């Protein structure tokens, strides 16, 4: 991307920066001396991240916000209005596992707010700014589950299917503007959720390895499935009928404990 501003005058906004892949990306971008607005739900985790990033170049702003709350979008707008934002990385998201009728309805509805509504609202906020400045990048997080329904994680899979479709349409809308749209679809990633589900960490990617795969692709117009497990799952299921993919994925998700996880 070519703009009139230098790298060190530009800012990158990262949601979900207090944990998981978002945190791993924040560390890598700070190591590149980028100016960062780092957003997460946990003030304590953001404080710990701030301490870890001490000594890196670039400026940083930390916002403890819950993206399930509509006023969080206004707070992000107010905190970034004076900045030359060149990139938005939307790593915030969470899910649940279990039979839908046995899950907390408020949690499922809040998941749609975080995984879908906030994604659209933030893209609607920053896309015009990126176009006006002559270029930039939007990075959205789908999931391997987003390519078909998944019993045992019905709402989560649906939200990630929405994000995947939204990213692909947005990419076409912004073609020729200088704004790229990267859709990241991670596979199984080691996390607190995975530990609670009893999954084998040897078969899963780590947040660090996924972040390492994402960083070189941040400004590319493409779909990315980082990690060996994601690539194998994506290629292995790609040619199967959608109904079969749902049947294959469902027992895996139903084996998980009914706990929240972050992406």
């Amino acid at each position: 991307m070519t703009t009139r501003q230098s790298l060190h005058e530009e800012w990158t906004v990262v949601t979900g920066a207090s944990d998981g892949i978002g945190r791993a990306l924040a560390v890598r971008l700070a190591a590149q001396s980028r100016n960062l607005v780092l957003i997460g739900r946990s003030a304590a985790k953001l404080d710990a991240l701030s301490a870890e990033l001490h000594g890196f170049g670039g400026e940083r702003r930390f916002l403890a916000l819950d993206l399930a709350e509509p006023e969080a979008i206004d707070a992000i707008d107010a905190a970034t209005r004076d900045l030359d934002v060149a990139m938005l990385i939307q790593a915030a998201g969470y899910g649940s596992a279990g039979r839908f009728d046995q899950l907390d309805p408020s949690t499922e509805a809040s998941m749609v707010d975080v995984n879908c509504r906030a994604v659209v609202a933030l893209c609607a906020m920053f896309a015009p700014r990126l176009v006006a400045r002559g270029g930039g990048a939007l990075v959205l997080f789908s999931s391997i589950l987003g390519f078909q329904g998944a019993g045992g994680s019905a709402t989560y899979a649906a939200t990630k299917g929405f994000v995947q479709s939204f990213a692909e349409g947005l990419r076409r809308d912004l073609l020729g503007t200088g704004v790229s749209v990267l859709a990241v679809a991670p596979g199984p990633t080691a996390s607190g959720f995975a530990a609670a589900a009893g999954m084998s960490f040897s078969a899963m990617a780590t947040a660090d390895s996924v972040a390492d795969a994402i960083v070189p692709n941040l400004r590319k117009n493409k779909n990315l499935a980082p990690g060996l497990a994601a690539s194998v799952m994506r290629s292995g299921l790609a040619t199967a009928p959608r109904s079969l993919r749902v049947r294959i994925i469902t027992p895996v998700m139903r084996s998980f404990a009914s706990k929240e996880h972050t992406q």
Side-chain angles (χ1 to χ4, degrees):
M1 182 194 70
T2 302
T3 69
R4 290 185 294 274
Q5 289 78 23
S6 71
L7 175 64
H8 296 290
E9 292 174 320
E10 298 174 354
W11 287 74
T12 295
V13 175
V14 184
T15 70
S18 58
D19 206 356
I21 299 170
R23 190 182 195 280
L25 286 169
V27 172
R28 282 151 181 76
L29 295 176
Q32 296 177 357
S33 298
R34 293 178 182 267
N35 301 319
L36 302 171
V37 178
L38 301 176
I39 303 165
R41 284 196 302 172
S42 171
K45 289 183 178 181
L46 288 177
D47 287 342
L49 179 59
S50 177
E52 181 177 343
L53 300 184
H54 181 72
F56 285 123
E59 299 180 56
R60 281 170 288 282
R61 296 183 182 181
F62 296 87
L63 301 175
L65 297 169
D66 183 354
L67 294 180
E69 303 297 332
E71 55 266 27
I73 305 301
D74 292 334
I76 294 170
D77 186 29
T80 63
R81 182 51 55 184
D82 63 325
L83 304 178
D84 174 30
V85 174
M87 184 181 300
L88 170 66
I89 301 175
Q90 300 214 57
Y94 74 94
S96 61
R99 210 175 76 180
F100 181 77
D101 61 303
Q102 298 174 350
L103 297 175
D104 178 12
S106 63
T107 298
E108 300 301 287
S110 179
M111 189 194 311
V112 176
D113 283 335
V114 174
N115 294 5
C116 300
R117 181 191 55 78
V119 169
V120 174
L122 288 174
C123 283
M125 178 191 304
F126 285 106
R129 292 173 60 176
L130 297 180
V131 171
R133 73 186 295 277
L138 297 169
V139 181
L140 278 59
F141 278 76
S142 171
S143 166
I144 288 299
L145 291 185
F147 294 94
Q148 68 283 305
S153 196
T155 306
Y156 178 74
T159 65
K160 292 306 177 179
F162 173 88
V163 173
Q164 182 66 39
S165 179
F166 178 60
E168 292 173 356
L170 191 59
R171 185 181 301 145
R172 296 302 303 178
D173 278 345
L174 298 179
L175 199 62
T177 66
V179 180
S180 60
V181 181
L182 175 67
V184 183
T189 304
S191 65
F193 170 68
M199 296 177 68
S200 171
F201 277 56
S202 63
M204 295 170 13
T206 65
D208 286 335
S209 66
V210 172
D212 285 337
I214 293 171
V215 169
N217 292 286
L218 284 172
R219 295 180 183 272
K220 294 183 180 178
N221 266 321
K222 63 186 292 186
N223 296 332
L224 178 68
L228 178 60
S231 297
V232 170
M233 288 177 67
R234 183 77 183 105
S235 60
L237 293 173
T239 58
R242 189 177 181 95
S243 60
L244 179 58
R245 299 202 304 268
V246 176
R247 290 173 59 189
I248 291 171
I249 291 292
T250 292
V252 176
M253 298 310 299
R254 283 182 174 167
S255 70
F256 287 1
S258 182
K259 294 182 180 293
E260 294 182 8
H261 70 288
T262 56
Q263 174 182 279

